[in-house]
Amino acid sequence: MMTWHQWQQRFDLAARGMAVFAAFSVPMPTAWLTVAMGLLLIFWLLGGGYSNKWRRMRENPLTRWSLLLLLAFALGLLYSSAGMDEALDKSGKYLKLFYIPLLISLLDSRLWQKRAANGFLLAMLLTLVASWGMYADLIPQATKLFPNTVFRGRIAQNFFMAFTAYLLFDRFMRDSSRWRWLWGLLLGLALINVLLLVGGRTGQLVLLVLILLAAVQYLNWRGLLAGGLVIVLISLLSYQFSENFSSRVDLTLQRLDAFSEESRDRELVGNRLEMYGNSLELIGHHLLVGTGSGSFSVEYAELVRQKGLELLSDNPHNEYLNITVQLGLVGLLLFLLLLYNHWRHSAQVDPCFRGSSQALVVAMTVGCLFNSFLMDRGEGSFYVVLTAVYLAGLSHARLREREG
């Protein structure tokens, strides 16, 4: 008969398995990640070893910044202009920030980090194959509205696939075995998938920025010219041969031109540009600490009523504006510090995760300009889970230093 200590060891192993499954579940249906994190928390509690788990969390700088931002949302509930039910519902979407320290406490070795990282990549490769299968009419389309999307919407899938293209390029550059050609083939399929098969502008822009990042990483600052040329070439070819890509570019330019001319026609200006302007107006009224957690939709509805507009929104499709409306410059600063420290400490992690960690924070930084990605369930979970996966090694290194 097993002792309680032996049961705890099994629960602890199960919790680590759930961490790997959580990384795999990020691009899968939402319920998968919900189940994974629920079981992970149960096994985490049953697994014991809390002092060691706390030490790993404490020694990782990303724990501090993720919890500080989460604390700001908790304090924002005290003065939110929204009702408590709505404030809890909206701000509760940021509870996923707790995934960062929770996963860091479990991924206590390079082996478990690699298992989780490979879990995410495997899920994305399955997504890539399924998406191409839909394009070739070998698999039924999941939705006619957004062709070739598998488990997520076009924005999320294209965003994830753009990041996956970077992961495949990184594997191609670091792998010297006979399987290197396979990474190159998969990279080509991922690039075409993002640019031609799935119409998500955020993912397409993130892909171009990550190409520039990869060029700088592998060619130093000389890579700026090479990366810039590749971006121009890819953009021109995509514009020429993809109606999907060219129509999105034309629409964006048309809306920017209408906005610069202060057009009153929302069909020309576009909903997002109108929301950006209104959000900046809300920020100007409560600059320092905002109007409280979960208050965006309430404040925006009141502004729309005062200005006689029609379009309501529960987020401005820009995470920087979204957080600043709720928590003011204090909240914005904490979010920027989270991203900054992610970038800064990426240089200190294991070389096999270094490039991926830098690409992750760059992708998130760019994506949040056009979407409220930290608040969004899929994209926000993508960021916090992979942040823990790539940066958990910081705890290992610091604990080894302390133990001499």
Side-chain angles (χ1 to χ4, degrees):
M1 183 174 180
M2 286 195 301
T3 66
W4 175 241
H5 178 68
Q6 290 173 317
W7 275 110
Q8 283 186 315
Q9 289 180 323
R10 294 202 172 190
F11 287 134
D12 192 54
L13 182 62
R16 286 171 169 76
M18 283 299 105
V20 175
F21 182 59
F24 177 83
S25 300
V26 165
M28 294 295 175
T30 302
W32 290 34
L33 184 60
T34 302
V35 171
M37 293 308 299
L39 291 174
L40 183 149
L41 182 58
I42 293 172
F43 292 141
W44 189 94
L45 292 170
L46 293 174
Y50 304 124
S51 60
N52 288 330
K53 291 172 181 175
W54 167 244
R55 288 174 64 207
R56 288 193 288 270
M57 285 191 275
R58 184 189 62 201
E59 292 297 330
N60 198 298
L62 270 294
T63 293
R64 179 186 314 119
W65 296 109
S66 60
L67 292 183
L68 279 174
L69 182 56
L70 190 57
L71 176 62
F73 276 103
L75 293 175
L77 292 171
L78 300 177
Y79 60 91
S80 176
S81 60
M84 185 54 67
D85 288 344
E86 182 172 0
L88 287 171
D89 178 60
K90 299 296 184 183
S91 61
K93 296 179 180 181
Y94 292 94
L95 281 173
K96 63 175 76 75
L97 286 164
F98 188 62
Y99 290 0
I100 294 178
L102 190 63
L103 288 166
I104 283 172
S105 73
L106 291 170
L107 300 171
D108 61 346
S109 69
R110 186 173 183 267
L111 175 62
W112 282 106
Q113 283 182 269
K114 290 189 72 172
R115 285 172 175 171
N118 289 335
F120 171 78
L121 181 58
L122 175 61
M124 286 307 303
L125 292 180
L126 292 175
T127 301
L128 179 63
V129 170
S131 183
W132 273 98
M134 291 176 178
Y135 176 74
D137 291 329
L138 299 175
I139 300 176
Q141 293 284 350
T143 171
K144 294 182 180 180
L145 186 60
F146 303 120
N148 310 319
T149 56
V150 187
F151 304 112
R152 299 283 185 170
R154 60 182 174 85
I155 295 176
Q157 179 173 311
N158 238 25
F159 179 58
F160 297 165
M161 194 62 70
F163 178 72
T164 301
Y166 174 90
L167 295 182
L168 294 170
F169 173 79
D170 189 55
R171 298 271 179 132
F172 175 79
M173 294 299 293
R174 291 190 295 108
D175 193 345
S176 57
S177 72
R178 61 179 180 175
W179 295 105
R180 188 183 188 194
W181 65 269
L182 179 60
W183 299 122
L185 174 62
L186 292 170
L187 170 61
L189 292 175
L191 289 172
I192 297 172
N193 190 270
V194 172
L195 293 169
L196 306 183
L197 269 62
V198 181
R201 283 177 292 182
T202 301
Q204 292 167 346
L205 177 60
V206 166
L207 176 64
L208 298 180
V209 175
L210 290 182
I211 288 173
L212 191 61
L213 173 67
V216 172
Q217 287 174 333
Y218 282 93
L219 298 174
N220 297 320
W221 292 108
R222 293 172 299 176
L224 280 174
L225 177 59
L229 291 175
V230 171
I231 289 172
V232 171
L233 179 62
I234 288 177
S235 299
L236 290 175
L237 289 174
S238 300
Y239 189 85
Q240 181 67 31
F241 295 105
S242 171
E243 182 180 355
N244 185 3
F245 184 87
S246 60
S247 63
R248 305 297 284 180
V249 170
D250 290 342
L251 179 61
T252 300
L253 293 176
Q254 181 184 15
R255 286 176 171 176
L256 286 172
D257 183 60
F259 186 76
S260 66
E261 295 177 359
E262 299 183 353
S263 172
R264 297 288 182 178
D265 188 345
R266 189 189 303 120
E267 293 297 324
L268 291 177
V269 173
N271 294 337
R272 290 198 183 192
L273 292 177
E274 179 182 298
M275 286 188 285
Y276 294 166
N278 289 336
S279 298
L280 289 171
E281 188 173 338
L282 289 175
I283 290 169
H285 297 157
H286 303 274
L287 188 59
L288 186 59
V289 295
T291 51
S293 301
S295 62
F296 181 87
S297 58
V298 173
E299 294 294 324
Y300 197 88
E302 177 60 21
L303 182 65
V304 164
R305 185 190 66 78
Q306 292 175 3
K307 297 176 71 171
L309 302 176
E310 298 177 0
L311 178 67
L312 295 173
S313 176
D314 60 356
N315 83 82
H317 296 280
N318 178 302
E319 192 63 77
Y320 306 103
L321 295 176
N322 192 25
I323 289 177
T324 310
V325 169
Q326 297 176 77
L327 304 178
L329 293 180
V330 172
L332 176 63
L333 178 62
L334 289 173
F335 182 45
L336 293 176
L337 284 171
L338 172 64
L339 296 175
Y340 167 73
N341 280 279
H342 182 154
W343 173 266
R344 184 166 70 93
H345 291 290
S346 292
Q348 303 169 17
V349 303
D350 190 298
C352 72
F353 301 119
R354 187 174 301 157
S356 302
S357 182
Q358 291 175 342
L360 175 62
V361 69
V362 168
M364 188 66 173
T365 300
V366 174
C368 283
L369 290 170
F370 310 102
N371 303 272
S372 298
F373 270 170
L374 188 61
M375 184 181 74
D376 291 341
R377 180 174 295 181
E379 293 87 339
S381 297
F382 160 82
Y383 174 70
V384 297
V385 169
L386 292 187
T387 293
V389 169
Y390 296 141
L391 295 174
L394 293 173
S395 300
H396 319 159
R398 294 190 176 198
L399 286 172
R400 283 195 299 267
E401 288 177 5
R402 290 183 182 274
E403 294 167 359

